[in-house]
Amino acid sequence: MNDLGLSFRHSLQLNVHNLVARTGIDGLRPVRLRRSGEAFLLETTGHTMCVPAALIWRSYRRGWPRRQQRLAAEFGLGDPLTIAKGETVIDIGANVGDFSITAAQAGARVFAFDGDPAVVECLKANTADNDQIVAACAILWCEETEITFYSAPGRADSSIFVPPGEAVPSFKAQATTLDALAAKYGIGEVALLKMDAEGAEPEVLTGGRDVLMRTRSVAIDTGPERNGEETGEACEEILRGYGFTILRSNTPARKITMASRVG
């Protein structure tokens, strides 16, 4: 391991990337990393992000603007889901805040939540200077109860469900519901509910009955993160029950369920 905690192989990958990125081939951009306490500061294309693990650099190989563009496209921000200045976005599974920052730059008031304390420390650091973003630690479920949470911030896989791969540390914590969280923060009408709950999407929706009734559109990562199973069908059934029309995703490479309220 080097001073960034990277194995020789991963350190070599980063060094090779930065050498190749100097040429600009395939849109690659240099990425610099340095420790900051228990976290890391990642710098690329003039932008700095606090991240919980050095390996996350791979998400920024083509720079910060491309990272924003990719997330906006994946979750339909701007097309087909629009938000106006001052409207509210809820970002569940906000991770280190990439999408939240992008939505705020589009004019939204953003409530950003994640369940992993190590990730939330970075989320708060990255959004501290943006008064349009409220960031907090919250584990979302269908009821308020104590639950086991698995922490895998280095892979962005922290979840109520055990992430695949090597042994993952876990801890007991109090889960809450989307409705309770909205009441706590005084969240009213919602223009966009974006969610990446690592397999817990149907339960989060079940605990958000009141919020869904006043939400215009949703974009949910429903990929195979629930013990290898997708959650799209379950989420679509819930959303249709609340008057949403399911939309076709723009990004076939990632399973995103998009929906908009009829009328």
Side-chain angles (χ1 to χ4, degrees):
M1 295 287 181
N2 63 9
D3 59 349
L4 295 174
L6 292 172
S7 67
F8 174 80
R9 179 169 66 89
H10 289 143
S11 180
L12 180 62
Q13 288 175 348
L14 175 59
N15 290 333
V16 170
H17 163 83
N18 281 331
L19 284 173
V20 176
R22 293 177 184 175
T23 69
I25 292 176
D26 196 29
L28 297 177
R29 295 292 183 267
V31 177
R32 291 175 291 278
L33 283 165
R34 67 179 188 274
R35 278 196 175 273
S36 178
E38 295 298 316
F40 302 85
L41 292 180
L42 180 154
E43 300 176 32
T44 181
T45 53
H47 188 81
T48 301
M49 292 290 287
C50 178
V51 297
L55 271 179
I56 292 176
W57 75 266
R58 293 178 293 190
S59 295
Y60 300 86
R61 288 175 295 180
R62 290 175 175 80
W64 171 245
R66 284 287 297 274
R67 173 69 172 162
Q68 287 187 294
Q69 291 166 10
R70 176 182 173 183
L71 284 173
E74 287 179 340
F75 287 98
L77 184 62
D79 179 22
L81 309 177
T82 59
I83 54 174
K85 184 176 181 179
E87 289 188 317
T88 296
V89 170
I90 298 177
D91 186 357
I92 298 171
N95 201 264
V96 298
D98 294 333
F99 183 86
S100 294
I101 293 169
T102 302
Q105 289 177 346
R109 170 71 164 163
V110 183
F111 292 86
F113 304 112
D114 201 279
D116 192 315
V119 172
V120 173
E121 287 302 310
C122 293
L123 170 63
K124 289 182 176 180
N126 293 331
T127 60
D129 295 333
N130 194 322
D131 59 9
Q132 292 172 240
I133 301 174
V134 175
C137 189
I139 297 173
L140 277 285
W141 192 239
C142 56
E143 60 180 341
E144 295 188 333
T145 185
E146 186 178 69
I147 204 162
T148 299
F149 192 82
Y150 297 89
S151 177
R155 310 198 313 258
D157 277 342
S158 298
S159 174
I160 290 170
F161 298 95
V162 184
E166 68 274 11
V168 177
S170 65
F171 58 88
K172 294 283 188 178
Q174 183 69 25
T176 188
T177 67
L178 179 55
D179 281 342
L181 207 58
K184 177 179 179 180
Y185 288 94
I187 302 174
E189 298 294 318
V190 178
L192 173 61
L193 171 63
K194 172 264 181 186
M195 189 192 313
D196 186 357
E198 302 295 329
E201 296 82 22
E203 286 79 9
V204 176
L205 292 177
T206 299
R209 177 184 181 279
D210 294 339
V211 170
L212 288 176
M213 292 296 292
R214 57 179 186 270
T215 294
R216 186 171 73 235
S217 56
V218 299
I220 307 172
D221 185 333
T222 52
E225 295 167 327
R226 188 186 183 101
N227 300 325
E229 296 182 3
E230 296 183 357
T231 58
E233 290 186 7
C235 289
E236 287 181 13
E237 182 178 355
I238 293 170
L239 292 169
R240 287 192 179 100
Y242 285 96
F244 286 90
T245 297
I246 307 303
L247 307 175
R248 185 178 298 277
S249 173
N250 294 335
T251 55
R254 185 174 181 181
K255 179 65 175 181
I256 303 292
T257 296
M258 295 185 192
S260 184
R261 183 170 294 285
V262 175

